[in-house]
Every structure is written in structure tokens, then in C-alpha cells.
């Protein structure tokens, strides 16, 4: 069995009133200058927290400027503002983009490294600033992962900063914060979370310890995502999907994702397609590509998805692919690149970008050439 390293926040709080618990924990730490990254729709939910902090004499600087998937240029503006404010702590309350910026900010706030020095795996030297993350979507699992993803405007590519110093001190997952998320966003982020679990399980470096999280995450999300999309106030469904998302995030450090994410990145960088939707558009076609090498693992995925038929692994694997397609359709997401106005003539350009994401392609159970990537894009078109 290959060696594995598991790293999670020192404190993970999940469930009802986790936002209240965060407020209590933060006050006990005696910080005085909080830099809060969030999004405007969430601000009404933070009124009690902000009043409490004001009463306790805690300075709070609020940034709601991260509205889409962030670039390094976006990050540099936030870093300058936080330094000028004199932040002694950083909290992210939002979707994956907000959390990624908050994580990287806390690490770079008192760090003399340049951004270009830390892009990649394990290059950050330290983090000396308290960091907490509270997700408002059930998708990236960023609140428990060591990853932060940014658009590099110099070459148009998606770049990852991966480091144990990006794992927050505290993760507070309150499903109530996801209730107001629109159905389309719920669907896309939910498929993203499911993809994290699925790709960690169907992976060259899969590990029995992570398999437990991955399979349970697949089960929770697949059984509850459609319910959460159709009734955003279904707190039981929201809670199940949120827990599945946490499991997916916990898979990202020790195992990580593979070809689905690698092929999804160019859709975001070239066409600005939201990350979760990009994964949804490619997931079933990469699953099909991974047959037959991944049949045994894909059969396990099928069972976690609720496939009850018996048969050979190849039959179960195919049934799992069909189940994924059904779930994507039931959640109201498009199933073809052509449905979102991707240009067929850009497939070569997308493949050129995807083949560069070797840190993820190397995890795939079946090797991919550029020609293979072109073929997958065409099947997904």
C-alpha cells in the first residue's frame, strides 16, 4: 500500500449554527483586525456576526469583489488592500473562488515570497495569519483542502497553488448558508463536488483511506442533489450535499483529481464557463474514455450512485456513466459543449491547454495524448 499524508483543518465544525460557533471561537482568539472576504448576497446573513464584532471592538474590512473565478491580478489587489488594512486574521465566507482567495491571502499576507515563486506543489514556505473558511456553496470543498486555483492572465491558463499552509485553521460548514443558492449554481457546484469524489476514487493513486470519503461523498451527493436543486429549502438535502462536498474536499490533498478537471480548465480560461458546469459537461465522457482500464473502479462508482443491477464490471461501469448523465439532466444542466456555444474550431486550442495540466493528467487511470483529449472534446460536443 502506498504511503499517504492526510491534512485537515485543526477544527472542522459541521451542521446547524456553525456560523454561531465560528463567532464564538473567533472571539476567544483575541484577534482585532479581521479581513473578511465574502459575496454581497451573503451580507444579510452576517448582520449578527458583524454587530457582535463591532461591540467587541474588532475592526472588520469587508471585500465583496470576488464575483467570478479569480485571477492572480484579482488576488494582488486584495493582498494590497489587506496589508494596508493591517489584518491580523482572514476569513472567507462564500463559494470556492472566495475561499481560494482567502486561503492564499492568509498565506501571503506576511510572506516575502512572490506569487510566481509559489505556483505549483509545496512551494509556499509558511502561513503566519489565522484563517477560517465558511462555504456558502456545496462544491469545491476548498474549506478543507490544500488547493487554491487561479487564472494566470499572462498565458490564459489555470494554475494551482497547493500547500499544507493553505489548509485553514478552522472550517465551519453550515448548510443554512447554502439555502439561498440558485438551482443552477447548486447543480453545477454539486456535480463539481461529486467529481472530486469520483476522480479521487478512479485514480492511479487511489488509497483505501480516501476511498471511504470518496464513495460516501458520491452516495450522498447523487441521492440528494436533485432534491436540493428542485427545493432549495430542503435542509436535509442541502445538509447531505454539503457533507458530500466536504468529503470531496478532503480527497483533494492526499489524492486529488484527474482528467475531468484537466479538460475542464480550458473551458473556464477560454470561455469563462463556471468550473462546476465545465466538469459536468466533461465528466461522463472522461468516464467512458477510462473504460476498460478503470472498469473495476467505475463499477464501484456505479454502486455508490445507486446502480443495483448485477453483471460484469464493464456493464456496471457503463450503467454508472448513464446514471451520471441522468443526474446531470435531472438537475437541469446542459450535457453538450455545443449547448453553451463552444466553438468546434476551438477544440484544438482547448486540447493544447489541457495537455499542459500534467499534474492532474498524471493521476488519470488511462494515459491521454493530445489526440485523446481532442476525441473526448468532440464526443462531448
Amino acid at each position: 500500500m502506498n504511503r499517504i499524508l492526510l491534512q485537515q483543518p485543526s477544527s472542522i465544525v459541521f451542521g446547524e449554527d456553525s456560523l454561531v460557533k465560528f463567532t464564538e471561537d473567533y472571539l476567544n482568539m483575541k484577534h482585532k483586525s479581521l479581513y473578511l472576504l465574502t459575496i454581497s448576497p451573503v451580507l444579510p446573513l452576517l448582520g449578527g456576526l458583524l454587530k457582535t464584532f463591532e461591540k467587541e471592538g474588532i475592526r472588520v474590512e469587508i471585500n465583496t469583489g470576488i464575483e467570478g473565478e479569480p485571477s492572480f491580478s484579482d488576488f494582488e489587489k486584495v493582498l494590497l488592500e489587506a496589508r494596508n488594512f493591517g489584518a491580523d486574521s482572514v476569513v472567507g465566507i462564500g463559494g470556492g473562488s472566495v475561499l481560494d482567495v482567502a486561503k492564499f491571502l492568509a498565506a501571503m499576507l506576511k510572506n516575502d515570497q512572490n506569487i510566481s515563486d509559489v505556483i505549483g506543489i509545496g512551494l509556499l514556505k509558511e502561513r503566519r495569519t489565522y484563517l477560517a473558511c465558511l462555504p456558502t456553496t456545496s462544491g469545491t470543498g476548498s474549506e478543507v483542502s490544500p488547493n487554491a486555483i487561479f487564472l494566470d492572465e499572462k498565458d490564459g491558463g489555470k494554475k494551482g497553488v497547493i500547500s499544507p499552509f493553505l489548509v485553514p485553521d478552522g472550517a465551519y460548514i453550515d448548510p443554512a448558508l447554502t439555502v439561498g443558492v440558485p438551482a443552477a449554481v447548486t447543480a453545477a457546484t454539486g456535480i463539481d463536488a461529486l467529481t472530486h469524489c469520483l476522480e479521487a476514487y478512479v485514480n492511479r493513486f487511489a488509497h483505501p483511506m480516501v476511498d471511504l470519503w470518496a464513495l460516501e461523498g458520491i452516495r450522498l451527493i447523487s441521492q440528494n442533489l436533485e432534491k436540493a436543486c428542485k427545493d432549495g429549502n430542503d435542509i436535509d438535502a442541502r445538509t447531505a450535499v454539503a457533507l458530500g462536498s466536504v468529503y470531496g474536499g478532503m480527497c483533494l490533498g492526499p489524492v486529488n483529481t484527474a482528467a475531468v478537471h484537466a479538460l475542464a480548465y480550458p473551458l473556464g480560461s477560454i470561455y469563462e464557463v463556471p468550473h462546476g458546469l465545465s466538469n459536468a459537461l466533461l465528466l461522463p465522457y472522461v468516464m467512458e474514455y477510462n473504460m476498460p482500464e478503470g472498469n473495476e473502479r467505475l463499477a464501484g462508482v456505479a454502486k455508490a450512485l445507486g446502480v443495483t443491477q448485477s453483471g460484469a464490471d464493464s456493464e456496471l461501469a457503463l450503467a454508472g456513466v448513464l446514471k451520471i448523465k441522468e443526474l446531470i439532466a435531472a438537475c437541469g444542466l446542459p450535457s453538450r459543449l455545443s449547448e453553451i456555444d463552444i466553438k468546434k474550431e476551438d477544440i484544438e486550442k482547448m486540447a493544447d491547454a489541457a495537455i499542459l495540466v500534467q499534474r492532474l493528467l498524471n493521476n488519470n487511470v488511462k494515459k491521454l495524448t493530445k489526440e485523446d483529449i481532442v476525441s473526448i472534446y468532440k464526443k462531448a460536443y
Side-chain angles (χ1 to χ4, degrees):
M1 185 183 298
N2 57 304
R3 186 179 66 193
I4 195 166
L5 174 62
L6 305 178
Q7 295 174 310
Q8 286 94 40
S10 56
S11 178
I12 301 176
V13 180
F14 182 94
E16 186 179 358
D17 292 332
S18 293
L19 178 60
V20 174
K21 177 59 174 169
F22 159 70
T23 306
E24 295 170 352
D25 289 349
Y26 184 86
L27 291 176
N28 288 332
M29 295 176 197
K30 308 303 181 184
H31 297 299
K32 292 298 180 183
S33 301
L34 169 64
Y35 192 85
L36 171 61
L37 282 143
T38 188
I39 54 176
S40 296
V42 173
L43 286 175
L45 303 177
L46 306 181
L49 176 148
L50 295 174
K51 285 181 181 178
T52 299
F53 285 175
E54 181 182 7
K55 181 180 177 181
E56 296 295 326
I58 297 168
R59 300 168 58 236
V60 180
E61 180 78 8
I62 301 173
N63 184 305
T64 59
I66 304 300
E67 297 179 345
E69 295 181 20
S71 67
F72 285 119
S73 296
D74 296 328
F75 174 77
E76 287 174 340
K77 295 173 185 175
V78 172
L79 178 60
L80 178 61
E81 183 177 270
R83 283 176 171 168
N84 289 339
F85 171 66
D88 64 12
S89 49
V90 175
V91 173
I93 305 178
S97 296
V98 168
L99 301 191
D100 281 5
V101 173
K103 289 161 59 174
F104 196 30
L105 173 62
M108 297 297 287
L109 197 59
K110 299 176 182 178
N111 191 330
D112 60 4
Q113 291 178 279
N114 295 318
I115 291 174
S116 58
D117 297 332
V118 300
I119 298 172
I121 301 174
L123 300 177
L124 267 172
K125 292 179 181 178
E126 62 180 351
R127 172 167 59 80
R128 290 186 283 157
T129 303
Y130 172 78
L131 168 66
C133 287
L134 293 83
T136 60
T137 60
S138 299
T140 68
S142 183
E143 67 276 5
V144 294
S145 86
N147 301 357
I149 308 299
F150 294 87
L151 174 66
D152 188 342
E153 293 171 321
K154 294 178 182 177
D155 60 12
K158 289 280 191 76
K159 304 287 178 67
V161 180
I162 297 94
S163 167
F165 295 115
L166 293 184
V167 177
D169 296 298
Y172 297 80
I173 302 93
D174 192 333
L177 292 177
T178 70
V179 166
V181 175
V185 178
T186 297
T189 55
I191 295 296
D192 185 24
L194 190 151
T195 305
H196 293 157
C197 296
L198 192 153
E199 289 208 282
Y201 186 75
V202 186
N203 193 299
R204 285 181 59 212
F205 303 101
H207 192 281
M209 294 182 73
V210 176
D211 288 350
L212 295 172
W213 295 331
L215 290 173
E216 182 62 3
I218 293 168
R219 186 189 70 81
L220 285 167
I221 296 167
S222 63
Q223 289 184 7
N224 293 279
L225 183 57
E226 183 182 353
K227 298 176 189 175
C229 292
K230 292 185 175 178
D231 180 4
N233 293 310
D234 185 337
I235 196 63
D236 290 337
R238 290 285 193 185
T239 299
V241 175
L243 183 55
S245 177
V246 172
Y247 288 149
M250 291 168 71
C251 293
L252 292 180
V255 175
N256 217 341
T257 56
V260 177
H261 274 69
L263 271 65
Y265 282 165
L267 271 67
S269 59
I270 296 172
Y271 281 98
E272 299 184 352
V273 178
H275 176 65
L277 177 55
S278 298
N279 280 330
L281 287 162
L282 293 165
L283 175 57
Y285 304 101
V286 174
M287 291 173 70
E288 287 175 342
Y289 172 81
N290 282 334
M291 299 170 63
E293 280 86 339
N295 276 352
E296 182 179 353
R297 287 263 149 177
L298 287 167
V301 167
K303 293 174 184 177
L305 289 168
V307 172
T308 58
Q309 72 184 59
S310 58
D313 285 346
S314 59
E315 296 172 316
L316 290 174
L318 184 58
V321 173
L322 296 176
K323 197 80 169 177
I324 285 289
K325 289 181 177 180
E326 290 171 3
L327 177 62
I328 290 169
C331 291
L333 293 174
S335 61
R336 294 281 178 180
L337 298 179
S338 55
E339 293 178 45
I340 60 166
D341 298 324
I342 300 292
K343 296 178 181 177
K344 198 166 188 178
E345 57 266 31
D346 283 345
I347 285 177
E348 285 282 337
K349 181 168 67 173
M350 293 192 300
D352 285 336
I355 196 66
L356 299 177
V357 192
Q358 288 296 316
R359 71 178 180 87
L360 300 184
L361 292 176
N362 287 336
N363 298 335
N364 207 61
V365 292
K366 184 176 178 181
K367 290 188 178 295
L368 294 97
T369 65
K370 180 190 168 183
E371 290 70 28
D372 294 325
I373 294 172
V374 168
S375 177
I376 293 171
Y377 280 141
K378 286 182 177 179
K379 287 181 179 178
Y381 195 81

